Amino acid sequence: MTQAMPLRTATTVTFFYALGYPIGNLAVHALSPMAVLAFRFGLAGAILGGWAVLARVRFPTGRTLVHVAVAGLLMQAVQFCALYVAIQHGAPAVLCAVVIAMNPVATALLAAAVLKDRLTARRVVALVLGVAAVLAACATRLIATGGVDPVVGLLLVALLGLAAGGVYQQRFCVGVDFRASTAVQNAVAFVPALALTLTTPFQVHNATHAVLAVAGVVLLNATLGVSLYVRAIGLYGASSVAMLFCVIPAVAGALSWLMLGERVNLGIAVGLALGALACWLNASGSSSSGVERSEGGSGSSGVERSEGGSSVLGGQERSDSGSSKKRQDDPADDRGRQHRVDPVHDAAVAG
């Protein structure tokens, strides 16, 4: 049975996830965004790759390697290239947090469209609230630009890249250790980031801030943040981690105010509230639908079925002694159910 997430773990994961937004904002305003990403992907890939080697985990090969690379291009390259360019053009950190926090809701929609996952009434309401949250948060920019704003478009591209990459990863990359997969994905994303760095103007606005901010992005967010985030999914389940999206944008807003002096306007405040409600509905809907699948998957009253070495009795798992290690090697805890997509995916840390 998946254990409840302790308050200390939830607080730590939320803090480091939210911290990525103001740190990323600082880095982009001190150094060209593509250069920031080149450092982020290159250094994080090297650190995570070294960790994977020391841990003696198996790296993906053949077709699985290609799938991991594709997922990395979507979740890392597409998401962060669009996100950092949006920041460069004036997107506040908290606005980025509100839009990207719609990942669980966007993933549910993509999973329904691509993998034919069932959309419950609760998830439909969450989708509607999610759209309303994004529109409310972006209202000021949309009104100022007459409804067409490249920054909002870039943030939506970033969200789509993250959600599509998550669906792709859980569909095709099940069973790959997160240290190996994130190392490969950072290495793959480094290629387009480096190409864009070499073909776009390179500017250093503040050398000291650039060094400190890039170090923070790499160590606190891309390495530590990713590890904490994915480990939480493996230990406590995707639905539990999805609940953190209810508070992550608010924490990002508080940190952005303390670190950057950014204030939250009325539209973003409404977006925060609607987004939190949407994420709560989506996560609670995912949890209840998981119980329904467990309780309705057998004609017997005992409701027991085998799933990759563990059984489910009355909707609760009874795992063998190797289940703890399996959770760490399979952060999505999918156990081969490649057609089921959870609302949160690994290596999805922003900033």
Side-chain angles (χ1 to χ4, degrees):
M1 179 171 63
T2 302
Q3 56 184 311
M5 185 187 301
L7 178 60
R8 180 177 179 180
T9 300
T11 302
T12 303
V13 173
T14 298
F15 175 79
F16 281 103
Y17 195 110
L19 182 63
Y21 293 101
I23 287 182
N25 194 295
L26 286 172
V28 168
H29 285 93
L31 184 65
S32 302
M34 294 304 109
V36 174
L37 288 179
F39 282 117
R40 174 194 173 102
F41 295 143
L43 294 175
I47 293 171
L48 291 166
W51 183 13
V53 170
L54 290 175
R56 297 181 179 179
V57 301
R58 181 179 299 176
F59 279 83
T61 58
R63 183 175 297 178
T64 303
L65 177 61
V66 174
H67 288 316
V68 171
V70 172
L73 287 174
L74 289 170
M75 286 195 298
Q76 300 280 2
V78 173
Q79 178 197 177
F80 287 110
C81 285
L83 180 63
Y84 278 27
V85 172
I87 292 174
Q88 183 187 34
H89 285 82
V94 64
L95 175 61
C96 298
V98 171
V99 176
I100 300 301
M102 291 301 101
N103 172 42
V105 181
T107 297
L109 181 60
L110 282 177
V114 177
L115 302 181
K116 309 304 180 185
D117 273 13
R118 184 169 63 91
L119 274 180
T120 63
R122 186 184 292 262
R123 280 192 165 183
V124 171
V125 174
L127 289 172
V128 173
L129 288 174
V131 172
V134 172
L135 291 176
C138 300
T140 301
R141 301 192 66 94
L142 293 174
I143 293 172
T145 58
V148 179
D149 185 6
V151 165
V152 174
L154 286 167
L155 290 178
L156 292 177
V157 169
L159 173 60
L160 181 61
L162 175 59
V167 171
Y168 190 95
Q169 171 150 326
Q170 200 158 340
R171 172 65 179 86
F172 295 106
C173 308
V174 172
V176 180
D177 183 272
F178 78 92
R179 290 159 291 194
S181 65
T182 50
V184 170
Q185 289 173 358
N186 275 282
V188 170
F190 172 74
V191 176
L194 180 61
L196 289 171
T197 301
L198 297 176
T199 56
T200 56
F202 179 84
Q203 296 178 322
V204 179
H205 306 292
N206 187 312
T208 302
H209 289 177
V211 171
L212 294 176
V214 169
V217 166
V218 172
L219 297 176
L220 298 179
N221 186 241
T223 303
L224 179 59
V226 166
S227 301
L228 291 171
Y229 180 81
V230 175
R231 181 171 174 78
I233 292 176
L235 291 176
Y236 309 112
S239 294
S240 295
V241 179
M243 295 297 289
L244 301 181
F245 281 95
C246 298
V247 295
I248 283 172
V251 175
L255 291 172
S256 299
W257 174 63
L258 292 172
M259 298 171 64
L260 308 174
E262 292 183 354
R263 295 186 179 275
V264 176
N265 60 35
L266 179 60
I268 291 178
V270 173
L272 284 170
L274 291 176
L277 181 58
C279 290
W280 177 80
L281 284 172
N282 182 77
S284 58
S286 173
S287 178
S288 62
S289 65
V291 173
E292 289 172 3
R293 277 192 298 269
S294 296
E295 294 180 347
S298 172
S300 63
S301 59
V303 194
E304 184 171 3
R305 70 180 184 274
S306 175
E307 288 188 358
S310 65
S311 63
V312 178
L313 181 60
Q316 298 180 343
E317 291 183 358
R318 296 185 314 188
S319 303
D320 57 26
S321 60
S323 62
S324 176
K325 182 178 185 301
K326 185 175 182 62
R327 281 199 188 100
Q328 295 181 23
D329 292 339
D330 182 7
D333 204 18
D334 194 72
R335 291 180 176 84
R337 299 191 298 270
Q338 296 184 2
H339 293 281
R340 176 176 177 270
V341 176
D342 292 321
V344 182
H345 303 281
D346 53 350
V349 179

